[in-house]
Each structure stands twice: as structure tokens, then as C-alpha cells.
Amino acid sequence: MKLAANPSVGASATEVRAALRTAIARLQECSVPSAPLAAELLLMHVLQGDRAWLYAHPEFELSPKDAAAYAELIERRSEGVPTQYLTGRQEFWGLEFEVGPGVLIPRPETEHIIEVALELLGARRTEPFRIADVGTGSGCIAIALARELPRAEIVATDISAAALDYAQRNAARNSVSNRIQFFEADLLKVGIEVPRRAESRFDLIVSNPPYVGRNDAGSLPREVREHEPAETLFAGDDGLEIYPALIDEAAGKLAPNGILVLEIGYNGAQYVGSLLSASQWADLRVARDLAGIERVISARLSA
């Protein structure tokens, strides 16, 4: 068992400190990014404890069952399986989400969609809203908005039945199931009639669509390229394939003065901005993420 190799001198190979040390070495040997963090998270998962507990109990002896389980997780992580798929959890907007094979892992950068949407809504946050989340995946955007906007009613769509299963469980986990309807659909083609009353249209449409070009696939980390679902990542050769149809559908489903907020890739601002420069759109804005990359683009449908 690779995990038990080279234990620290004077310590049992199954003590927390030795197990962590050996696991980190194994992950670093396999060029796993953030190896110490991955080793800690996986041990926390096995022992059902937090980081403070691990470091307060360095001499705690893992049971043979826990040691074997940890060894297996470290080997799978060394082979490129994302830590989040191994633990089944990922935090987003301060909430916990279930994730696993078949669903995109929520990224911190996507939280900028929530920030931009809330900023644009301003003092209207306590008003009733109809929101659509297109390509909901794990449901992270829809659920975070439901938690922030207590009177919002949300429609969330995805083409993946597997992703929608995760999203529905996550909505229940975060106590917002009663305000989110999930539909297996391409974009906003949900097969339900939108009444003609203007107020029945959406006040806000948000989306984190696939925006990686297949030409850039080789530059992705193996964790992403080999394990996360391709349909959530790639959109044509340049990553821009979905935006025209998405923006066209949004224009037909938003109420007057309704807001559209989209995540974009590093090369998407100019092209997506050109689509939103048509006369029916106003107040075009681009927000950068913490790395300075243009990450979120928004516009308002003219009245």
C-alpha cells in the first residue's frame, strides 16, 4: 500500500501526522496541484473531522479500515480524479453542494455572477422576481440566488438528467426546493407556455454556459479535461458557440428592463459584448474576477 510507505521516524504509519506526510509526498510525486490541501481534505473526509481537529490530534491512530480508505482516495487523486468528486462536496457562496461524476464542479469565479446580479438588483432584492438559470449544473447559481432573494421564483434548466439530479438534491439540502423548478431542456426550451402578461416573463436570466474552445482542451488541467463532463466545458472550437442562441432566447423571455448576466471565458468579452450591443440591449457591463480576467458580462433588455 503506497500510503504506508516511508512513515515518519518514531511515528506509526497510521498516525494522522505520518499518514498526511506520506499522502502529500505521493500526491506531489504525481504532480497533483495543491497536494497538502488535497491530502487534508481527503483525510478530513475519511475521519469526518475538520482541519483544526487533524492538527490538534497528530498522534491519533487511524483504524485499518480508515487507513485503507484513505490510501484508496489518495491513489485515485494521484490519478487525476478531482478531490471534490472523491469527497462528494464543494462549497459555493458559503453553501455546501453535492457534486460527483456527471456534474461540473462549482468554481469560485462563478460567484461573480451572484455578485453582479445582486448589485444590479440593488434595493429591489426583497421584491418578487422570476429568474431563469440556464445550464444549472449542480444548481449552485439558482440556489445561491434563492437564498439571497427570498421572494424569487426560479426556473433552472439543464440538458443533463444526471446534473439535474444533483441540483434537486442540492436545492433540498439548502432548503429552497419549493422555489425552484428544474427542467431537462436545451437553454430555455422548457416546453411550458409563458403567459402573455409582461410580469410573467423573467426579470433576471443568469447562465454559466460552456465556454471553453475545443482548441484549448490541451491546456486544461487533467482533472478537468479527463473527468468533468465535456458538454459542460466545450462550446465549439473557440468556446463561443452557445452565446448567440442563448442571448436570442433571453431577449424573447425577459421582461422589459429585465437583466441578463452571463459568465464568459478569458477571450469572450469582445464577441459577447458585440452580441449585446444590438439596439434591444442597454447598460452593457463587464466585471473582472480577482485575477483581473473579464469574467461576467451583463446587459438590460430595453423597455
Side-chain angles (χ1 to χ4, degrees):
M1 183 184 298
K2 291 185 174 69
L3 182 62
N6 302 318
S8 59
V9 175
S12 166
T14 56
E15 286 184 1
V16 161
R17 60 185 171 188
L20 272 176
R21 184 177 297 117
T22 307
I24 292 169
R26 174 62 178 159
L27 295 178
Q28 290 175 334
E29 175 189 352
C30 296
S31 300
V32 172
S34 304
L37 177 60
E40 291 172 354
L41 290 173
L42 293 174
L43 188 53
M44 289 159 54
H45 174 67
V46 169
L47 297 179
Q48 295 297 294
D50 58 22
R51 184 175 287 106
W53 187 93
L54 290 183
Y55 287 99
H57 301 84
E59 298 178 357
F60 178 82
E61 290 271 349
L62 278 67
S63 70
K65 180 181 177 180
D66 286 344
Y70 188 47
E72 175 63 21
L73 290 176
I74 291 299
E75 284 309 296
R76 291 182 66 193
R77 184 68 190 91
S78 72
E79 294 166 358
V81 180
T83 300
Q84 295 92 332
Y85 282 0
L86 296 173
T87 64
R89 296 191 298 271
Q90 171 69 357
E91 184 179 298
F92 180 88
W93 201 251
L95 307 171
E96 185 174 275
F97 289 83
E98 178 189 350
V99 295
V103 68
L104 187 73
I105 298 168
R107 267 62 170 183
E109 295 82 8
T110 300
E111 293 186 354
H112 290 291
I113 290 180
I114 313 299
E115 293 171 353
V116 169
L118 294 177
E119 179 182 355
L120 291 173
L121 291 174
R124 300 166 56 203
R125 295 185 193 182
T126 57
E127 297 177 9
F129 286 103
R130 293 193 77 240
I131 299 173
D133 175 22
V134 182
T136 194
S138 66
C140 61
I141 297 172
I143 291 166
L145 286 173
R147 292 292 297 263
E148 292 290 339
L149 304 169
R151 299 180 68 189
E153 298 293 334
I154 301 174
V155 168
T157 71
D158 204 288
I159 61 172
S160 168
L164 288 171
D165 286 342
Y166 282 105
Q168 289 171 323
R169 290 195 296 272
N170 284 325
R173 175 193 295 262
N174 288 288
S175 305
V176 292
S177 293
N178 63 325
R179 293 193 289 117
I180 305 178
Q181 291 180 284
F182 294 97
F183 294 93
E184 185 176 347
D186 180 16
L187 301 181
L188 281 167
K189 300 179 180 70
V190 297
I192 57 175
E193 292 296 325
V194 176
R196 293 181 179 179
R197 293 178 297 117
E199 62 267 28
S200 70
R201 290 179 175 266
F202 295 110
D203 303 289
L204 171 67
I205 294 177
V206 295
S207 182
N208 174 21
Y211 57 71
V212 179
R214 291 194 177 275
N215 293 333
D216 295 326
S219 66
L220 295 175
R222 64 173 176 163
E223 289 82 356
V224 178
R225 184 179 62 252
E226 297 177 5
H227 294 278
E228 296 194 65
E231 64 270 20
T232 70
L233 298 170
F234 301 111
D237 291 340
D238 58 8
L240 302 172
E241 186 175 84
I242 289 179
Y243 290 104
L246 175 55
I247 290 171
D248 184 62
E249 286 199 23
K253 296 291 180 69
L254 278 170
N257 291 314
I259 298 166
L260 177 64
V261 182
L262 305 175
E263 186 164 339
I264 54 176
Y266 73 93
N267 62 342
Q270 182 174 353
Y271 175 71
V272 179
S274 70
L275 298 176
L276 292 170
S277 296
S279 59
Q280 67 204 106
W281 296 101
D283 299 335
L284 178 65
R285 304 183 188 185
V286 178
R288 296 178 183 269
D289 62 20
L290 295 178
I293 297 171
E294 293 173 319
R295 181 63 61 186
V296 175
I297 193 165
S298 62
R300 177 178 55 81
L301 188 69
S302 299

